[in-house]
């Protein structure tokens, strides 16, 4: 089911280019943090679906909540003069790498045939 | 994975894709767009080309004037030769300005009600368009090899005007002309002028109910009179050294 997010991403990119949506440069830093959070959520969702405990409610709420929270954190950081966005970058960055690593492990373990069974089968 | 899970994942992915594109577009668009009004490159290219053309024209004009100065300098010991050269130059300038009579081959054009009555039957006419169409016709002749044009013996120059006053009055060079039958004399490349003329014939029939007839004059006897109105510049001044 890995093709669903790939197709969705492609369609989203197509929509973005077709409607020529732009955001002012002063808000692009918030959007970049929000994208990081969204990426984390999507990879988390892929991992959950591979582990067969995917929940739509958690996924959707996580996507919007994380995205908005990250952007809000960056905004507050700018207002306070503290680079709070670094906290979001660090947190989501680590989670992103963890999720990708888990997905990799799951995919590899699924593609690898069970060694014992094959050997028995061959001998049979 | 359940269907609604797939839909959720798909929806979120679409959203993420759109966000990525927006961010990409925001960071990669030209920075000049944010700080100053957008300037069309095509417009700049066209203006540059126009300036180059103007530069070429000035250079050729400068060369011509330098040649003229050299010619005068070479004849500086002979006053009669200088006077003759100046006289020739003046005559040439007058000829180009349209203030001298011109006699040569050309077309004698008449605009009149059609000889074949069936052409005019049922055709609504717009006499107020006469001035505009006459102007278009003269422009067509000029762009098709005419070197001197006169409407009803009123020479057309850069100071000329063709103006519709009312349905029955049309002025050429500020003088009313007979709008029933109009005669135009045009000196220049006869074949090329006829080609231009043919493009205007249907328009005159359609809007004015008038026919354009052209007679070739090839014996060199077609006379286009000089511009007869006084040439006096009240406001315009020649471009002097100070302005350059």
């Amino acid at each position: 089911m890995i093709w669903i997010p790939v197709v969705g991403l492609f369609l989203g990119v197509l929509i973005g280019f077709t409607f020529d949506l732009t955001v002012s440069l002063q808000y692009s830093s918030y959007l970049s943090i929000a994208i990081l959070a969204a990426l984390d959520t999507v990879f988390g969702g892929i991992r959950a679906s591979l582990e067969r405990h995917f929940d739509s409610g958690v996924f959707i709420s996580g996507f919007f909540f994380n995205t908005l929270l990250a952007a809000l954190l960056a905004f507050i950081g700018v207002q306070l003069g503290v680079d709070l966005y670094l906290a979001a970058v660090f947190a989501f960055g680590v989670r992103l790498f963890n999720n990708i690593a888990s997905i990799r492990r799951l995919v590899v373990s699924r593609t690898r045939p069970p060694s014992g069974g094959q050997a028995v089968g061959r001998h049979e | 994975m359940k269907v609604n899970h797939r839909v959720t994942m798909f929806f979120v992915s679409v959203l993420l894709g759109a966000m990525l594109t927006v961010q990409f577009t925001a960071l990669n668009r030209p920075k000049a767009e944010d700080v100053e009004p957008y300037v069309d490159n095509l417009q700049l290219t066209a203006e540059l080309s126009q300036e180059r053309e103007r530069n070429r024209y000035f250079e050729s004009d400068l060369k011509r004037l330098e040649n003229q100065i050299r010619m005068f300098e070479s004849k500086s010991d002979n006053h009669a030769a200088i006077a003759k050269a100046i006289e020739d130059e003046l005559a040439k300038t007058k000829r180009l300005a349209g203030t001298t009579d011109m006699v040569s081959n050309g077309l004698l054009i008449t605009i009149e009600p059609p000889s074949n009555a069936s052409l005019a039957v049922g055709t609504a006419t717009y006499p107020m368009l006469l001035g505009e169409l006459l102007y278009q016709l003269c422009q067509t002749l000029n762009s098709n090899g005419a070197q001197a044009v006169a409407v009803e013996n009123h020479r057309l120059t850069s100071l000329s005007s063709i103006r519709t006053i009312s349905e029955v009055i049309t002025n050429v060079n500020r003088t009313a002309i007979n709008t029933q039958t109009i005669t135009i004399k045009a000196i220049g490349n006869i074949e090329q002028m006829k080609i231009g003329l043919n493009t205007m014939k249907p328009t005159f029939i359609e809007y004015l109910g008038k026919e354009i007839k052209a007679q070739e004059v090839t014996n060199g006897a077609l006379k286009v009179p000089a511009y007869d109105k006084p040439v006096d510049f009240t406001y315009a001044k020649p471009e002097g050294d100070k302005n350059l």
Side-chain angles (χ1 to χ4, degrees):
Chain A
M1 294 305 152
I2 197 82
W3 58 271
I4 294 174
V6 173
V7 172
L9 266 178
F10 180 74
L11 192 68
V13 169
L14 208 66
I15 288 169
F17 277 122
T18 307
F19 291 100
D20 196 23
L21 305 166
T22 51
V23 65
S24 176
L25 270 181
Q26 58 180 333
Y27 299 120
S28 68
S29 56
Y30 306 140
L31 187 60
S32 62
I33 299 294
I35 285 171
L36 192 64
L39 271 174
D40 167 58
T41 313
V42 169
F43 279 107
I46 293 169
R47 178 189 173 181
S49 72
L50 288 172
E51 290 172 349
R52 300 187 193 288
H53 56 79
F54 183 86
D55 187 326
S56 299
V58 173
F59 181 65
I60 282 280
S61 63
F63 178 82
F64 286 109
F65 187 78
N66 285 350
T67 304
L68 291 174
L69 185 71
L72 187 69
L73 208 62
F75 175 73
I76 291 170
V78 169
Q79 301 304 315
L80 296 177
V82 182
D83 292 337
L84 275 182
Y85 73 92
L86 287 174
V89 169
F90 180 74
F92 290 120
V94 169
R95 278 169 56 117
L96 198 64
F97 273 100
N98 282 339
N99 283 333
I100 291 170
S102 298
I103 291 166
R104 180 176 48 79
R105 272 190 225 107
L106 284 165
V107 170
V108 168
S109 66
R110 282 188 186 189
T111 51
R112 188 180 291 161
S115 56
Q118 261 193 355
V120 172
R122 237 179 255 150
H123 283 100
E124 280 176 353
Chain B
M1 195 189 257
K2 289 178 188 172
V3 175
N4 73 326
H5 291 176
R6 286 180 191 176
V7 171
T8 310
M9 180 66 88
F10 182 73
F11 170 71
V12 167
S13 303
V14 169
L15 214 55
L16 179 63
M19 284 165 75
L20 282 168
T21 314
V22 169
Q23 178 72 350
F24 178 80
T25 314
L27 293 180
N28 286 287
R29 80 180 150 203
K31 283 183 178 157
E33 196 177 327
D34 279 349
V35 292
E36 61 186 26
Y38 180 67
V39 181
D40 191 354
N41 277 341
L42 282 175
Q43 191 187 339
L44 281 176
T45 313
E47 279 177 15
L48 187 65
S49 159
Q50 204 175 351
E51 288 302 320
R52 278 184 186 149
E53 190 64 34
R54 191 182 291 181
N55 190 34
R56 269 199 292 275
Y57 169 75
F58 281 134
E59 276 176 1
S60 69
D61 209 32
L62 186 67
K63 204 175 281 180
R64 185 182 64 79
L65 290 170
E66 280 173 352
N67 285 339
Q68 210 167 13
I69 289 167
R70 268 197 292 276
M71 189 186 71
F72 286 141
E73 281 173 352
S74 67
K75 293 174 181 173
S76 58
D77 52 340
N78 188 343
H79 291 289
I82 291 176
K84 178 75 174 62
I86 291 173
E87 199 177 321
D88 289 347
E89 194 61 33
L90 186 64
K92 185 184 166 189
T93 308
K94 277 185 169 179
R95 200 165 60 244
L96 290 173
T99 53
T100 55
D101 293 349
M102 296 281 277
V103 182
S104 186
N105 295 334
L107 287 178
L108 185 63
I109 302 158
T110 49
I111 301 167
E112 57 191 17
S115 49
N116 182 358
S118 65
L119 277 175
V121 171
T123 308
T125 58
Y126 306 93
M128 286 299 282
L129 289 177
L130 177 62
E132 178 65 27
L133 291 179
L134 214 50
Y135 176 76
Q136 278 184 26
L137 178 63
C138 295
Q139 292 289 63
T140 307
L141 287 170
N142 279 331
S143 59
N144 282 282
Q147 290 175 345
V149 179
V151 178
E152 288 290 309
N153 282 329
H154 297 294
R155 178 74 172 270
L156 299 184
T157 68
S158 59
L159 299 169
S160 293
S161 63
I162 299 175
R163 205 168 284 137
T164 303
I165 307 298
S166 71
E167 289 195 355
V168 289
I169 302 172
T170 297
N171 281 1
V172 176
N173 288 357
R174 286 168 282 162
T175 308
I177 58 165
N178 173 17
T179 54
Q180 283 304 305
T181 304
I182 301 166
T183 308
I184 298 174
K185 292 174 182 173
I187 287 176
N189 182 339
I190 293 174
E191 291 308 316
Q192 189 59 42
M193 285 194 293
K194 278 166 76 179
I195 292 170
L197 208 57
N198 286 335
T199 62
M200 292 299 293
K201 281 182 178 176
T203 315
F204 270 73
I205 282 287
E206 189 179 346
Y207 292 103
L208 298 172
K210 287 183 187 291
E211 195 176 10
I212 297 177
K213 287 180 182 171
Q215 183 191 338
E216 292 181 26
V217 179
T218 52
N219 59 359
L222 186 66
K223 183 183 174 185
V224 174
Y227 183 73
D228 54 355
K229 295 281 184 278
V231 180
D232 186 22
F233 293 103
T234 309
Y235 300 106
K237 289 176 184 172
E239 195 175 41
D241 292 338
K242 284 180 185 174
N243 292 334
L244 289 170

